[in-house]
mmCIF file of all heavy atoms in Angstrom:
data_model
loop_
_atom_site.group_PDB
_atom_site.id
_atom_site.type_symbol
_atom_site.label_atom_id
_atom_site.label_comp_id
_atom_site.label_asym_id
_atom_site.label_seq_id
_atom_site.Cartn_x
_atom_site.Cartn_y
_atom_site.Cartn_z
ATOM 1 N N LEU A 342 -90.138 -8.185 91.372
ATOM 2 C CA LEU A 342 -91.463 -8.635 91.777
ATOM 3 C C LEU A 342 -91.502 -8.877 93.283
ATOM 4 O O LEU A 342 -90.584 -9.487 93.840
ATOM 5 C CB LEU A 342 -91.828 -9.931 91.058
ATOM 6 C CG LEU A 342 -91.912 -9.886 89.533
ATOM 7 C CD1 LEU A 342 -92.240 -11.266 88.993
ATOM 8 C CD2 LEU A 342 -92.957 -8.882 89.089
ATOM 9 N N PRO A 343 -92.558 -8.426 93.956
ATOM 10 C CA PRO A 343 -92.732 -8.713 95.381
ATOM 11 C C PRO A 343 -93.481 -10.028 95.569
ATOM 12 O O PRO A 343 -94.562 -10.219 95.023
ATOM 13 C CB PRO A 343 -93.563 -7.528 95.871
ATOM 14 C CG PRO A 343 -94.385 -7.142 94.672
ATOM 15 C CD PRO A 343 -93.583 -7.501 93.449
ATOM 16 N N ASP A 344 -92.906 -10.924 96.329
ATOM 17 C CA ASP A 344 -93.500 -12.250 96.527
ATOM 18 C C ASP A 344 -94.035 -12.410 97.941
ATOM 19 O O ASP A 344 -94.015 -11.501 98.756
ATOM 20 C CB ASP A 344 -92.461 -13.341 96.239
ATOM 21 C CG ASP A 344 -92.437 -13.742 94.778
ATOM 22 O OD1 ASP A 344 -93.372 -13.366 94.050
ATOM 23 O OD2 ASP A 344 -91.489 -14.416 94.362
ATOM 24 N N GLY A 345 -94.492 -13.628 98.235
ATOM 25 C CA GLY A 345 -94.847 -13.999 99.599
ATOM 26 C C GLY A 345 -96.299 -13.854 99.958
ATOM 27 O O GLY A 345 -96.773 -14.480 100.909
ATOM 28 N N GLY A 346 -97.048 -13.035 99.235
ATOM 29 C CA GLY A 346 -98.423 -12.764 99.602
ATOM 30 C C GLY A 346 -99.406 -13.197 98.526
ATOM 31 O O GLY A 346 -99.224 -14.257 97.926
ATOM 32 N N PRO A 347 -100.413 -12.357 98.308
ATOM 33 C CA PRO A 347 -100.529 -11.003 98.825
ATOM 34 C C PRO A 347 -100.989 -10.946 100.278
ATOM 35 O O PRO A 347 -101.700 -11.834 100.751
ATOM 36 C CB PRO A 347 -101.575 -10.369 97.908
ATOM 37 C CG PRO A 347 -102.433 -11.524 97.471
ATOM 38 C CD PRO A 347 -101.500 -12.687 97.363
ATOM 39 N N TRP A 348 -100.563 -9.857 100.934
ATOM 40 C CA TRP A 348 -101.004 -9.543 102.286
ATOM 41 C C TRP A 348 -101.794 -8.246 102.221
ATOM 42 O O TRP A 348 -101.293 -7.232 101.731
ATOM 43 C CB TRP A 348 -99.815 -9.396 103.230
ATOM 44 C CG TRP A 348 -98.862 -10.557 103.180
ATOM 45 C CD1 TRP A 348 -97.552 -10.537 102.808
ATOM 46 C CD2 TRP A 348 -99.156 -11.922 103.519
ATOM 47 N NE1 TRP A 348 -97.010 -11.796 102.891
ATOM 48 C CE2 TRP A 348 -97.975 -12.675 103.325
ATOM 49 C CE3 TRP A 348 -100.301 -12.593 103.963
ATOM 50 C CZ2 TRP A 348 -97.897 -14.038 103.550
ATOM 51 C CZ3 TRP A 348 -100.228 -13.950 104.195
ATOM 52 C CH2 TRP A 348 -99.047 -14.662 103.996
ATOM 53 N N VAL A 349 -103.009 -8.281 102.723
ATOM 54 C CA VAL A 349 -103.885 -7.106 102.644
ATOM 55 C C VAL A 349 -104.633 -6.987 103.963
ATOM 56 O O VAL A 349 -105.414 -7.880 104.328
ATOM 57 C CB VAL A 349 -104.903 -7.222 101.489
ATOM 58 C CG1 VAL A 349 -105.748 -5.950 101.404
ATOM 59 C CG2 VAL A 349 -104.206 -7.489 100.163
ATOM 60 N N GLY A 350 -104.401 -5.886 104.692
ATOM 61 C CA GLY A 350 -105.120 -5.675 105.937
ATOM 62 C C GLY A 350 -104.343 -4.821 106.921
ATOM 63 O O GLY A 350 -103.358 -4.159 106.566
ATOM 64 N N ALA A 351 -104.781 -4.833 108.166
ATOM 65 C CA ALA A 351 -104.132 -4.065 109.223
ATOM 66 C C ALA A 351 -102.769 -4.659 109.552
ATOM 67 O O ALA A 351 -102.586 -5.874 109.544
ATOM 68 C CB ALA A 351 -105.018 -4.064 110.473
ATOM 69 N N THR A 352 -101.797 -3.785 109.828
ATOM 70 C CA THR A 352 -100.449 -4.270 110.133
ATOM 71 C C THR A 352 -100.356 -4.892 111.516
ATOM 72 O O THR A 352 -99.452 -5.677 111.789
ATOM 73 C CB THR A 352 -99.419 -3.138 110.048
ATOM 74 O OG1 THR A 352 -99.658 -2.197 111.115
ATOM 75 C CG2 THR A 352 -99.485 -2.434 108.700
ATOM 76 N N GLY A 353 -101.259 -4.507 112.420
ATOM 77 C CA GLY A 353 -101.164 -4.972 113.799
ATOM 78 C C GLY A 353 -100.193 -4.159 114.625
ATOM 79 O O GLY A 353 -100.024 -4.415 115.815
ATOM 80 N N ARG A 354 -99.551 -3.165 114.012
ATOM 81 C CA ARG A 354 -98.544 -2.373 114.715
ATOM 82 C C ARG A 354 -99.132 -1.110 115.331
ATOM 83 O O ARG A 354 -98.661 -0.639 116.368
ATOM 84 C CB ARG A 354 -97.426 -2.007 113.726
ATOM 85 C CG ARG A 354 -96.219 -1.363 114.346
ATOM 86 C CD ARG A 354 -95.059 -1.282 113.362
ATOM 87 N NE ARG A 354 -95.354 -0.465 112.185
ATOM 88 C CZ ARG A 354 -94.434 -0.130 111.273
ATOM 89 N NH1 ARG A 354 -93.188 -0.570 111.414
ATOM 90 N NH2 ARG A 354 -94.762 0.604 110.222
ATOM 91 N N ALA A 355 -100.164 -0.555 114.696
ATOM 92 C CA ALA A 355 -100.770 0.673 115.189
ATOM 93 C C ALA A 355 -102.132 0.857 114.558
ATOM 94 O O ALA A 355 -102.382 0.409 113.432
ATOM 95 C CB ALA A 355 -99.880 1.881 114.868
ATOM 96 N N GLN A 356 -103.003 1.559 115.286
ATOM 97 C CA GLN A 356 -104.299 1.901 114.718
ATOM 98 C C GLN A 356 -104.093 2.771 113.487
ATOM 99 O O GLN A 356 -103.249 3.656 113.450
ATOM 100 C CB GLN A 356 -105.144 2.667 115.745
ATOM 101 C CG GLN A 356 -105.680 1.809 116.872
ATOM 102 C CD GLN A 356 -106.912 1.003 116.463
ATOM 103 O OE1 GLN A 356 -107.388 1.124 115.336
ATOM 104 N NE2 GLN A 356 -107.422 0.189 117.364
ATOM 105 N N GLY A 357 -104.875 2.505 112.451
ATOM 106 C CA GLY A 357 -104.821 3.325 111.256
ATOM 107 C C GLY A 357 -103.731 2.950 110.277
ATOM 108 O O GLY A 357 -103.570 3.623 109.260
ATOM 109 N N GLU A 358 -102.993 1.872 110.549
ATOM 110 C CA GLU A 358 -101.901 1.469 109.656
ATOM 111 C C GLU A 358 -102.278 0.175 108.941
ATOM 112 O O GLU A 358 -102.591 -0.825 109.570
ATOM 113 C CB GLU A 358 -100.615 1.268 110.449
ATOM 114 C CG GLU A 358 -99.404 1.050 109.573
ATOM 115 C CD GLU A 358 -98.129 0.911 110.400
ATOM 116 O OE1 GLU A 358 -97.959 -0.132 111.067
ATOM 117 O OE2 GLU A 358 -97.323 1.861 110.399
ATOM 118 N N TRP A 359 -102.215 0.224 107.606
ATOM 119 C CA TRP A 359 -102.629 -0.883 106.760
ATOM 120 C C TRP A 359 -101.514 -1.233 105.785
ATOM 121 O O TRP A 359 -100.643 -0.408 105.503
ATOM 122 C CB TRP A 359 -103.896 -0.513 105.971
ATOM 123 C CG TRP A 359 -104.997 0.024 106.826
ATOM 124 C CD1 TRP A 359 -105.139 1.305 107.288
ATOM 125 C CD2 TRP A 359 -106.105 -0.706 107.354
ATOM 126 N NE1 TRP A 359 -106.276 1.411 108.061
ATOM 127 C CE2 TRP A 359 -106.889 0.187 108.120
ATOM 128 C CE3 TRP A 359 -106.532 -2.029 107.243
ATOM 129 C CZ2 TRP A 359 -108.053 -0.192 108.769
ATOM 130 C CZ3 TRP A 359 -107.700 -2.404 107.891
ATOM 131 C CH2 TRP A 359 -108.447 -1.499 108.645
ATOM 132 N N VAL A 360 -101.559 -2.430 105.258
ATOM 133 C CA VAL A 360 -100.557 -2.845 104.291
ATOM 134 C C VAL A 360 -101.225 -3.624 103.167
ATOM 135 O O VAL A 360 -102.217 -4.339 103.384
ATOM 136 C CB VAL A 360 -99.450 -3.699 104.964
ATOM 137 C CG1 VAL A 360 -99.988 -5.025 105.489
ATOM 138 C CG2 VAL A 360 -98.287 -3.943 103.997
ATOM 139 N N ALA A 361 -100.686 -3.464 101.971
ATOM 140 C CA ALA A 361 -101.117 -4.250 100.806
ATOM 141 C C ALA A 361 -99.866 -4.482 99.969
ATOM 142 O O ALA A 361 -99.390 -3.572 99.282
ATOM 143 C CB ALA A 361 -102.178 -3.507 100.008
ATOM 144 N N ALA A 362 -99.321 -5.693 100.052
ATOM 145 C CA ALA A 362 -98.037 -5.956 99.402
ATOM 146 C C ALA A 362 -97.860 -7.455 99.171
ATOM 147 O O ALA A 362 -98.616 -8.275 99.697
ATOM 148 C CB ALA A 362 -96.886 -5.413 100.264
ATOM 149 N N GLY A 363 -96.819 -7.783 98.390
ATOM 150 C CA GLY A 363 -96.495 -9.184 98.127
ATOM 151 C C GLY A 363 -97.391 -9.837 97.103
ATOM 152 O O GLY A 363 -97.675 -11.036 97.183
ATOM 153 N N HIS A 364 -97.814 -9.103 96.091
ATOM 154 C CA HIS A 364 -98.821 -9.590 95.140
ATOM 155 C C HIS A 364 -98.285 -10.504 94.039
ATOM 156 O O HIS A 364 -99.021 -10.868 93.136
ATOM 157 C CB HIS A 364 -99.560 -8.406 94.511
ATOM 158 C CG HIS A 364 -100.606 -7.814 95.402
ATOM 159 N ND1 HIS A 364 -100.306 -7.145 96.564
ATOM 160 C CD2 HIS A 364 -101.965 -7.807 95.317
ATOM 161 C CE1 HIS A 364 -101.419 -6.732 97.144
ATOM 162 N NE2 HIS A 364 -102.445 -7.125 96.410
#
Side-chain angles (χ1 to χ4, degrees):
L342 298 178
D344 272 347
W348 309 118
V349 183
T352 68
R354 189 169 62 172
Q356 287 281 358
E358 188 178 72
W359 309 82
V360 65
H364 282 68

